[in-house]
Amino acid sequence: MLMIHLLLFTSLFVVVVVVADHSINGSSISAATSTLRTRLPPHGDGDGDKSSSSSYILNNPELPPSPRSLSASKKFEGSSNLVNLRYHMGPVLSSPPINIYLIWYGKWPPSHQLLIKDFILSISHTAAPSPSVSQWWRTLSLYTDQTGANISRSVLIAGEHSDHLYSHGKHLTRLSIQEVIATAVQSKPKPFPVDHKNGIYLVLTATDVTVQDFCRAVCGFHYFTFPSIVGYTLPYAWVGNSGKQCPEVCAYPFAVPGYMGGGGPGALRPPNDDVGVDGMISVIGHELAEVSSNPLVNAWYAGEDPTAPTEIGDLCEGLYGTGGGGGYIGQVMRERGRGGRTYNLNGRRGRKFLVQWIWSPLLKACAGPNALLH
């Protein structure tokens, strides 16, 4: 789950721009959670879209060592033999497809809903050019349960429920978020199904909804519902739109704290020109990865305390590309001719996203979308 970590050292932010005539590849919080950072060394395009090689610039606050030295050393950002990520014998979401049940709490513009849905549907969209959202998810599919079944690569939006009347008020607690889910499961005339095995119930709150610990300690979290509230035990996640409440906290690096105003180049331009929703998408990716690999908080995590696990998204919080770590987000792409929008993943319908990396159980490091191509 996405914890808010202090980024004081990002005041050292320095931007270097390199013209991309060739491609260079590139580290939550919880009712329980924490974090680190990574990806494979630069080896070129992989299977990327060659035709677009000159349509963007590589943008990195701190350039990594040369590709040759990285290749020779086989070091990966955030790699560590000290991270004791272990499997605790619980289930993962391995049966295809993973069904996402979206709960739109508050008033949501259709354009914002479409952007978020395009990101979720991009997970299964294999036709997008590299680096793609589906390639990013392949790292997650390396995780297995005790039977050896891998987390599914197929992700669908199985249902949507709009709670635009704020049925539980404009301030939610962790427990009242479960009441929001109960309302969706029991709603008429089309209640959500009770999907114990394949489902993730994703609650997304609008800009005018405040949530317990939001901005102060959390940007999103996941857990499971209590039968006493919902009637069933169901994996769920919540993410809030921070666009008007705390973009400098939960939509970083698209917004930066005021104290950093004179210490660097400023915020990066979001890929879809919406600080709040573009910021949400990275948190949504973080939480979907963690709830898929640890739906009942008894599967994949580091640490000995299941009430405060360090999960596979936490280990890579703040890392978006090669050369990241120590407060630097790493090397990302910046579009030419469109005001410098920044991104690191391509999705369906030409969408672009900036999403943090996740921890690879094979590399024992954070992995980017092309990690399995090398």
Side-chain angles (χ1 to χ4, degrees):
M1 304 174 193
L2 188 58
M3 299 183 98
I4 294 171
H5 288 257
L6 294 178
L7 297 174
L8 297 176
F9 36 71
T10 53
S11 59
L12 300 175
F13 214 23
V14 178
V15 168
V16 180
V17 173
V18 180
V19 175
D21 27 358
H22 65 282
S23 190
I24 300 179
N25 292 330
S27 145
S28 166
I29 215 151
S30 89
T33 331
S34 188
T35 297
L36 239 184
R37 330 188 187 253
T38 27
R39 174 174 161 186
L40 280 172
H43 288 287
D45 248 8
D47 61 358
D49 180 5
K50 312 289 186 183
S51 65
S52 64
S53 62
S54 61
S55 65
Y56 62 86
I57 296 171
L58 295 179
N59 183 66
N60 191 351
E62 181 184 66
L63 288 178
S66 70
R68 186 170 302 170
S69 66
L70 272 176
S71 301
S73 69
K74 302 296 182 185
K75 297 295 183 183
F76 309 111
E77 281 83 9
S79 60
S80 175
N81 293 323
L82 302 177
V83 175
N84 188 23
L85 180 72
R86 294 190 298 116
Y87 176 55
H88 295 81
M89 305 306 289
V92 300
L93 298 186
S94 58
S95 298
I98 296 173
N99 293 320
I100 308 294
Y101 299 95
L102 286 170
I103 301 172
W104 304 99
Y105 193 83
K107 295 178 181 177
W108 281 89
S111 60
H112 291 179
Q113 293 177 316
L114 183 60
L115 176 54
I116 290 171
K117 289 191 287 185
D118 275 343
F119 170 70
I120 293 171
L121 293 174
S122 292
I123 293 172
S124 299
H125 183 72
T126 58
S130 179
S132 68
V133 176
S134 64
Q135 290 171 339
W136 168 81
W137 190 264
R138 283 192 300 185
T139 293
L140 185 69
S141 70
L142 298 173
Y143 288 89
T144 63
D145 63 16
Q146 56 186 308
T147 71
N150 297 80
I151 291 175
S152 175
R153 291 188 187 179
S154 176
V155 176
L156 300 178
I157 295 175
E160 295 182 64
H161 173 76
S162 178
D163 197 333
H164 63 278
L165 297 179
Y166 306 86
S167 63
H168 296 274
K170 289 192 174 183
H171 176 74
L172 301 177
T173 65
R174 291 180 183 272
L175 288 180
S176 64
I177 286 175
Q178 295 199 23
E179 293 171 355
V180 170
I181 297 170
T183 298
V185 171
Q186 299 161 11
S187 64
K188 305 294 183 182
K190 292 184 178 180
F192 275 169
V194 177
D195 194 345
H196 298 276
K197 190 174 182 181
N198 299 351
I200 298 175
Y201 297 79
L202 179 58
V203 180
L204 303 174
T205 50
T207 55
D208 57 347
V209 179
T210 59
V211 176
Q212 177 185 0
D213 294 329
F214 186 30
C215 296
R216 184 191 66 80
V218 300
C219 299
F221 66 79
H222 75 89
Y223 208 57
F224 52 84
T225 62
F226 303 148
S228 59
I229 297 176
V230 181
Y232 311 93
T233 299
L234 304 170
Y236 78 94
W238 158 78
V239 179
N241 188 330
S242 67
K244 294 182 179 178
Q245 296 185 48
C246 58
E248 72 285 354
V249 175
C250 291
Y252 181 88
F254 304 134
V256 297
Y259 62 79
M260 290 175 55
L268 300 183
R269 184 173 177 185
N272 300 285
D273 276 335
D274 192 288
V275 169
V277 178
D278 277 311
M280 281 187 82
I281 284 172
S282 185
V283 183
I284 289 170
H286 178 119
E287 297 303 334
L288 290 182
E290 292 186 344
V291 74
S292 297
S293 59
N294 198 26
L296 300 181
V297 200
N298 60 358
W300 288 96
Y301 64 87
E304 301 304 321
D305 183 359
T307 66
T310 299
E311 299 173 284
I312 66 171
D314 303 327
L315 291 168
C316 303
E317 187 181 333
L319 185 73
Y320 297 82
T322 297
Y328 296 98
I329 69 168
Q331 185 169 270
V332 297
M333 289 172 279
R334 180 162 61 84
E335 287 185 295
R336 295 180 185 272
R338 297 185 66 186
R341 302 181 192 186
T342 52
Y343 67 100
N344 63 357
L345 298 177
N346 292 292
R348 70 192 294 264
R349 302 193 319 122
R351 294 284 199 186
K352 300 182 185 301
F353 307 100
L354 186 69
V355 178
Q356 71 152 89
W357 287 355
I358 52 179
W359 189 263
S360 166
L362 296 185
L363 300 179
K364 294 186 177 178
C366 301
N370 290 331
L372 301 183
L373 300 179
H374 298 271

